[in-house]
Amino acid sequence: MISAEEYRRHDALGLAELVRSRQVSASELLEAAIARSAEVNPKLNAIIIPMHELARERAQQNLEGPFAGVPFLTKDLFQEYAGVQTAFGCKGLKAAHYKPDIHAEITARWLKAGAVVFGRTNTPEFGAKGITEPEAWGPTRNPWNLERIPGGSSGGSASAVAAGIVPMAGANDGGGSIRIPAAYCGLFGLKPGRGRTPWGPQMSEAMHGAAMNHVVSRSVRDSAAMLDATHGSDTGSLCHLAPPARSYLEEVSRALGKLRIAFSTRSPIGSTVDPEAIKAVTDATRLLESLGHHVEEAEPQVDGLQLAKDFIVMWFAQCAATVRQIKRRTGCGNEGFELDTLAMAAFGEASRASEYVEGYWRWGDYTRQLGEFHQKYDLYMTPTLAHPAPRVGQIATPQWQHVAMKILMALGLSRVILKSGMIEQMVQENLKWVPFTQLGNLTGVPGMSVPLHWTPDGLPLGVHFLASHGGEGLLFQLAGQLEQAKPWKDKWPSL
Amino acid sequence: MISAAEYQQLDGLALAALVRKKEVTATELLEAALARSAQVNPRINAIVTPMHEIARDRARQALTGPFAGVPFLLKDIQEDYAGVTTSAGSRAFRNYRPVRHAHFVQRLLDAGVVVFGKTNTPELALKGTTEPALFGATRNPWNLDHTAGGSSGGSAAAVAAGIVPIAGASDGGGSIRIPAACCGLFGFRPSRGRVSAGPAFGEVWEGASSEHVITRSVRDSAAILDVLQGAVSGDPFRITPPERSYLEETQREPRKLRIAFSTHSPIGMGVDPECVSAVQDTARLLEGMGHTVLEDAPKIDGAAVAECFLLMYFGHVAATVASARKLTGARENDFEMDTRVLALMGRSLPAGEYVAAHARWNEFARTLGEFHQQYDLYLTPTLAQAPARIGSQDTPLAERIGVWPILALGMGKALLRSGLVQKSARVSLARVPFTQLSNITGTPSMSVPLHWTKAGLPIGVHFIARFGEEATLFQLAAQLEQVRPWKDQRPSI
């Protein structure tokens, strides 16, 4: 048996070690996780699709792998689990009780690593927001303050990990969706580089490689060991990356030479940055210097506002394609989608393939510009978030705007809006909370959020690092060093 | 000094060896190339932008690298040479002079080549034949009435005519392999991400396009890929590097391979019996070499591949036309009518539909990937028809579908929904339906010149390997080159 307190004190590798040395069984761990979930999930709404019976059966089997017997959650966006309801945060898909008949490759690799999956976590519709408040399932809350958001789109997973339901949970990141909720919830979140983890068999790449699968976790080594278990292309991948020089787990404890680190606290879209977010970075600068690194203020020559616009226009088109696909798959109509989603899809339908391609070409420019920057600096550091967590419901689209959108869409005026200055306004409104993370997605480089700062109100804030292509190992090395120098493992919400 | 005959007989590595041993100078080689060009280029129209003075200056310098002193030609699209026009076969770009070398070009220069010109390409490299309005048709050295193929037709014609042993090429739908097949040459397409498209591009055509060369010898192609392979800082991803040099691979026996072959057009159109027998002969030859050869094909809807490929075209052509306006001030009517029709389609196609079509690439990559779990290689004809007569394909798309009023009125949506452009494009694809699968799945592939028609026109056989397995292709190509050498097959031009 394991006490509730002891269950929470261990990271995933720690729990796996207990199972391996037969101090505890997989079933006992699972029951501890389910008990914790029963205790806190009603307050958090992090897990929306429980899979207790499947998990109980699995926990009784002979499990192998580095995480054998460790309770685990997947995000309800992709990360399909054969036979289990999957909704992508979407009303129409939820109503259709959609159940995929095969695992996603990433899920298969998590299972091969021995994880015991016992539920799927909340996400905004199609993961399209930095908050987790889908109409289909209701909002997820932040364990550090139930009035606040856990961020998104992997908000359910981050909330569950921060609340101690699991030490690590599945997440994915197409604009910051691993790093943002990790930062809001005081966790470690690493987005691997383009092509590092698989998207098959459902996709070759998600969002042209901007989006990647991985996890949010409490400990750095859990994230590293899980990436060891999941990295590498699959049959249909369009990206087949050079493999890492050594295991990521090994990197975590490897001695690190002196790094050249550039930092900036300026929002790339010109929006305001909260003094606490700035303090998170300036404190980190001092910490890094004390660890012997060279730190200086510098920014890559990237047009941040244009990048944000290209990002959002790409989202619209992706959203349009997804809505098409789900309508075809389920036969549902517009009632199956949130109004915000329909508006995004309408913009995606109204924008032209040629505009999409022109935007995509600029990704190449950003990648080159960041590549040039990385010839001078090993890492680029910014805040992960521009502000501490806002209140639940605070970022929701106002009712009057919903009404206006309905009218405009009915009149077929999406293209008029697209050509007006409204896109820029949308960029400002949607990205002002989280303007730092998209650079890592469009350039495909690995990035991470490290929980190094808490506001006087007790809200976590992350510090964000981007490495160059293939730099996951370097990120793990630095994260390991920071975790040791300024540990966060004893910081727990009072939930 | 080197005789004309000797110059034309040797491959790039052999010429470099002569330079290294000081039996000949880079300048002498260059003059031999220029002499041959003066003799045949007026008839084949392969080189469209000469760079003789730049080349003569360079040939006098102390050059180093595996190809030091070897005369070289670049394809006149993407392969930017700083200060020299990159016209992309288009009036819209005829005055466009890039300020930086492409990484591709820089690496070749670092390897010692002497670039002395740029070769013809159809406008924006969009076709399997090389007949741009800007420069006129490139002709096939094997028969001047026939096309050299495209879009790297200028480079293929120049190599086949003995002007150079190697020339730059790029392949987004077959544009290395098709002209190589038409001209009796070796055409190799590397895996997605093997060769950088920077700094001007991250990926070209959603990663469907790869840069490389057309050559006479297999070893030249391998040694050039040794020079070109590997990402440059700023590229969108880094693929697994090769285990050993490709040149070394050409000297290694391949293991016993499992090879599937098919001679059916994936879009259900006819295949010339000579192209069929090229594959059947090759199948027998491969069996004789000890490989296992079976008739089988991946279960891929070829019409869907063509459709997805075409929608990608629409988007990219439209974006290129728009970018020309910003880059050179070109106007819409600086482009050929076919290009304008494609651009109109791209402006009419909703981004959502574009994305949905791109998402389908996954099906093709996955099905081919599963097929490759059973077979090392997939063998087909390179071409469904022997090289066409010049002009036989130049009925403009626009004319064929009576598109003038539609263009004038900008009724792109109606035209898009009518499916007329798609249908018309399938007619063009009927001649070359085999090559796009490799592009859309990112896999490496090659055309090997193993067959000539009774009329004396070359046609190639085509192999696709697993992603990243260029080595297998080079091993097999070298083996084929040994048992069925083509180096003495020369056009009489």
Side-chain angles (χ1 to χ4, degrees):
Chain A
M1 270 301 290
I2 186 166
S3 73
E5 202 181 312
E6 203 191 346
Y7 170 72
R8 269 185 285 161
R9 212 181 53 222
H10 289 285
D11 67 357
L13 285 174
L15 293 176
E17 184 49 40
L18 293 182
V19 174
R20 201 162 20 249
S21 56
R22 297 182 189 281
Q23 297 178 48
V24 65
S25 70
S27 294
E28 286 164 346
L29 287 186
L30 176 63
E31 294 311 324
I34 290 176
R36 179 64 180 163
S37 170
E39 192 181 358
V40 294
N41 197 54
K43 286 180 262 182
L44 299 171
N45 192 33
I47 303 169
I48 48 156
I49 300 167
M51 300 159 50
H52 296 181
E53 288 324 302
L54 262 179
R56 283 182 170 125
E57 276 174 40
R58 180 168 158 83
Q60 273 150 22
Q61 289 163 22
N62 208 351
L63 299 172
E64 282 173 29
F67 294 101
V70 177
F72 193 80
L73 297 164
T74 61
K75 178 181 177 180
D76 187 31
L77 180 65
F78 313 114
Q79 310 190 351
E80 289 88 345
Y81 194 111
V84 174
Q85 188 185 358
T86 299
F88 295 3
C90 169
K91 289 197 289 181
L93 216 48
K94 182 188 182 192
H97 297 287
Y98 167 63
K99 288 178 181 160
D101 46 19
I102 40 173
H103 292 322
E105 179 65 18
I106 189 77
T107 305
R109 291 185 188 182
W110 284 332
L111 294 174
K112 200 168 163 229
V116 176
V117 179
F118 69 99
R120 293 177 67 79
T121 64
N122 206 5
T123 171
E125 196 164 52
F126 307 137
K129 294 177 180 177
I131 61 174
T132 301
E133 305 177 13
E135 286 174 20
W137 304 97
T140 295
R141 290 165 185 278
N142 190 325
W144 290 91
N145 181 333
L146 295 176
E147 299 302 309
R148 304 282 172 158
I149 69 163
S153 65
S154 310
S157 284
S159 176
V161 174
I165 300 175
V166 281
M168 170 166 61
N172 39 41
D173 185 327
S177 289
I178 287 175
R179 294 158 289 161
I180 292 166
Y184 280 128
C185 293
L187 303 173
F188 178 68
L190 180 135
K191 179 199 84 77
R194 179 179 183 183
R196 185 65 69 197
T197 49
W199 278 106
Q202 293 82 2
M203 291 184 278
S204 287
E205 285 196 311
M207 291 165 57
H208 272 115
M212 292 308 301
N213 277 313
H214 192 40
V215 294
V216 288
S217 63
R218 290 187 54 79
S219 76
V220 173
R221 66 175 196 159
D222 276 358
S223 181
M226 197 48 118
L227 194 56
D228 283 330
T230 59
H231 80 79
S233 57
D234 71 307
T235 317
S237 296
L238 290 177
C239 273
H240 298 251
L241 298 193
R246 60 187 73 77
S247 93
Y248 294 121
L249 183 57
E250 220 175 300
E251 298 283 9
V252 176
S253 48
R254 239 172 119 240
L256 186 56
K258 180 177 175 171
L259 298 179
R260 286 181 60 82
I261 302 172
F263 78 94
S264 169
T265 57
R266 198 187 64 88
S267 161
I269 59 169
S271 54
T272 62
V273 178
D274 189 277
E276 280 294 321
I278 294 172
K279 187 165 188 302
V281 168
T282 45
D283 285 0
T285 327
R286 276 192 294 276
L287 177 61
L288 289 163
E289 276 168 350
S290 76
L291 293 167
H293 302 299
H294 173 83
V295 188
E296 66 181 56
E297 194 162 2
E299 281 178 44
Q301 296 298 307
V302 173
D303 180 344
L305 189 58
Q306 185 63 50
L307 182 140
K309 280 196 246 177
D310 290 339
F311 172 75
I312 215 160
V313 166
M314 183 266 301
W315 259 118
F316 293 161
Q318 294 286 339
C319 197
T322 309
V323 166
R324 273 168 183 257
Q325 190 192 21
I326 285 176
K327 281 183 173 173
R328 204 173 49 235
R329 190 189 289 169
T330 67
C332 77
N334 282 351
E335 77 289 347
F337 306 92
E338 294 178 20
L339 194 53
D340 286 358
T341 304
L342 288 174
M344 286 193 275
F347 291 134
E349 295 294 352
S351 62
R352 296 158 168 173
S354 51
E355 292 163 341
Y356 180 86
V357 171
E358 283 183 84
Y360 181 58
W361 281 353
R362 282 190 291 270
W363 296 24
D365 297 338
Y366 307 139
T367 308
R368 196 190 63 245
Q369 288 152 357
L370 189 61
E372 281 162 8
F373 188 73
H374 271 135
Q375 289 182 329
K376 273 192 282 180
Y377 302 101
D378 299 302
L379 297 169
Y380 179 44
M381 172 170 70
T382 63
T384 311
L385 310 165
H387 301 273
R391 282 183 302 284
V392 173
Q394 189 180 340
I395 312 185
T397 313
Q399 199 54 39
W400 67 265
Q401 213 168 312
H402 271 170
V403 174
M405 280 196 286
K406 265 188 191 159
I407 295 168
L408 290 167
M409 279 192 288
L411 294 173
L413 290 176
S414 306
R415 177 138 190 103
V416 178
I417 300 172
L418 208 56
K419 290 273 118 180
S420 72
M422 223 175 120
I423 295 294
E424 196 161 323
Q425 204 184 326
M426 282 186 204
V427 164
Q428 293 294 351
E429 276 184 22
N430 288 289
L431 295 184
K432 71 180 176 196
W433 300 95
V434 286
F436 296 105
T437 42
Q438 297 79 28
L439 177 63
N441 299 92
L442 268 54
T443 58
V445 300
M448 67 176 179
S449 179
V450 187
L452 293 177
H453 193 80
W454 269 254
T455 68
D457 299 340
L459 289 173
L461 275 173
V463 179
H464 183 248
F465 297 88
L466 289 180
S468 58
H469 284 280
E472 288 91 343
L474 182 65
L475 290 176
F476 280 124
Q477 270 185 293
L478 180 69
Q481 192 182 43
L482 290 169
E483 189 180 35
Q484 204 159 40
K486 198 173 178 189
W488 55 83
K489 78 176 170 52
D490 295 326
K491 290 195 175 264
W492 284 99
S494 59
L495 186 73
Chain B
M1 268 301 288
I2 186 166
S3 74
E6 196 187 357
Y7 171 73
Q8 287 170 49
Q9 204 196 347
L10 296 177
D11 70 357
L13 286 171
L15 292 177
L18 292 184
V19 175
R20 202 161 31 246
K21 286 183 282 182
K22 300 195 188 291
E23 291 176 26
V24 66
T25 66
T27 299
E28 286 164 348
L29 288 186
L30 175 63
E31 294 308 326
L34 295 180
R36 180 64 178 160
S37 171
Q39 192 180 14
V40 293
N41 197 54
R43 280 177 282 164
I44 60 174
N45 191 32
I47 303 169
V48 292
T49 306
M51 297 161 54
H52 297 182
E53 289 323 303
I54 292 177
R56 284 184 169 125
D57 280 347
R58 180 167 162 82
R60 283 193 292 265
Q61 290 163 24
L63 300 170
T64 54
F67 289 94
V70 177
F72 199 92
L73 295 165
L74 297 170
K75 182 181 180 181
D76 195 24
I77 185 168
Q78 289 170 37
E79 299 173 3
D80 288 346
Y81 191 105
V84 176
T85 51
T86 298
S87 78
S90 177
R91 220 149 61 94
F93 293 101
R94 68 191 185 281
N95 295 320
Y96 171 62
R97 283 192 178 76
V99 293
R100 285 180 298 192
H101 291 326
H103 294 319
F104 175 91
V105 172
Q106 188 59 56
R107 287 197 170 171
L108 287 167
L109 293 174
D110 294 345
V113 306
V114 176
V115 176
F116 69 96
K118 304 197 80 174
T119 64
N120 206 6
T121 169
E123 189 169 68
L124 309 184
L126 293 173
K127 295 181 179 175
T129 174
T130 301
E131 307 175 34
L134 179 64
F135 293 119
T138 292
R139 291 170 183 276
N140 192 323
W142 290 89
N143 183 331
L144 297 176
D145 292 331
H146 289 258
T147 178
S151 67
S152 310
S155 284
V159 175
I163 300 175
V164 281
I166 317 169
S170 55
D171 188 324
S175 287
I176 288 175
R177 294 159 289 157
I178 293 165
C182 290
C183 293
L185 302 170
F186 181 62
F188 191 97
R189 188 199 112 85
S191 297
R192 181 182 193 208
R194 181 69 72 204
V195 177
S196 175
F201 302 94
E203 293 181 282
V204 176
W205 292 0
E206 306 286 348
S209 184
S210 289
E211 298 273 319
H212 190 42
V213 290
I214 289 175
T215 59
R216 293 184 53 79
S217 75
V218 171
R219 65 173 198 164
D220 272 359
S221 186
I224 290 281
L225 195 54
D226 285 331
V227 165
L228 293 175
Q229 70 86 19
V232 178
S233 174
D235 283 352
F237 51 86
R238 285 150 195 267
I239 67 171
T240 310
E243 226 175 292
R244 59 184 75 80
S245 91
Y246 293 120
L247 184 57
E248 221 180 308
E249 299 289 2
T250 61
Q251 288 140 20
R252 289 168 73 98
E253 279 275 298
R255 60 183 187 278
K256 295 300 166 214
L257 299 169
R258 278 179 65 82
I259 303 171
F261 79 93
S262 169
T263 57
H264 297 288
S265 163
I267 57 171
M269 319 279 263
V271 178
D272 188 302
E274 296 229 53
C275 298
V276 172
S277 58
V279 168
Q280 288 166 342
D281 285 356
T282 306
R284 278 190 293 275
L285 180 65
L286 290 165
E287 271 176 345
M289 290 154 66
H291 302 297
T292 305
V293 186
L294 296 161
E295 186 159 6
D296 198 358
K299 307 268 175 297
I300 293 174
D301 177 355
V305 173
E307 172 82 10
C308 289
F309 190 78
L310 195 60
L311 293 192
M312 180 273 288
Y313 248 41
F314 289 170
H316 281 257
V317 173
T320 304
V321 168
S323 77
R325 208 168 297 135
K326 286 174 218 154
L327 210 58
T328 68
R331 285 168 316 194
E332 184 91 14
N333 59 14
D334 285 322
F335 290 92
E336 294 177 24
M337 190 56 67
D338 283 7
T339 306
R340 290 171 60 188
V341 172
L342 293 172
L344 176 65
M345 293 298 89
R347 289 196 299 268
S348 308
L349 180 71
E353 200 172 332
Y354 180 88
V355 169
H358 184 248
R360 292 198 65 187
W361 292 25
N362 173 52
E363 296 166 33
F364 313 135
R366 198 158 300 281
T367 309
L368 187 63
E370 281 159 11
F371 188 71
H372 270 141
Q373 289 175 346
Q374 277 179 278
Y375 301 103
D376 298 301
L377 298 171
Y378 179 42
L379 163 69
T380 64
T382 310
L383 312 167
Q385 307 290 332
R389 285 187 159 272
I390 303 275
S392 66
Q393 287 172 281
D394 72 354
T395 321
L397 198 61
E399 215 165 280
R400 265 187 268 157
I401 58 183
V403 78
W404 285 98
I406 295 173
L407 264 186
L409 297 170
M411 288 163 54
K413 278 240 174 348
L415 183 59
L416 182 71
R417 295 297 158 223
S418 75
L420 276 173
V421 177
Q422 292 89 321
K423 205 173 141 201
S424 180
R426 266 198 296 280
V427 174
S428 312
L429 217 52
R431 303 195 73 90
V432 287
F434 295 105
T435 44
Q436 298 80 26
L437 179 61
S438 161
N439 300 88
I440 224 163
T441 57
T443 48
S445 51
M446 64 179 179
S447 178
V448 187
L450 294 181
H451 199 85
W452 271 254
T453 67
K454 290 185 196 76
L457 285 169
I459 48 179
V461 295
H462 184 249
F463 296 87
I464 303 181
R466 289 180 198 100
F467 188 98
E469 294 198 2
E470 281 90 339
T472 309
L473 291 174
F474 278 125
Q475 286 171 4
L476 182 70
Q479 199 182 30
L480 288 168
E481 190 181 36
Q482 207 158 40
V483 299
R484 182 82 64 89
W486 55 82
K487 79 177 170 53
D488 295 326
Q489 301 254 36
R490 296 278 169 157
S492 59
I493 186 172

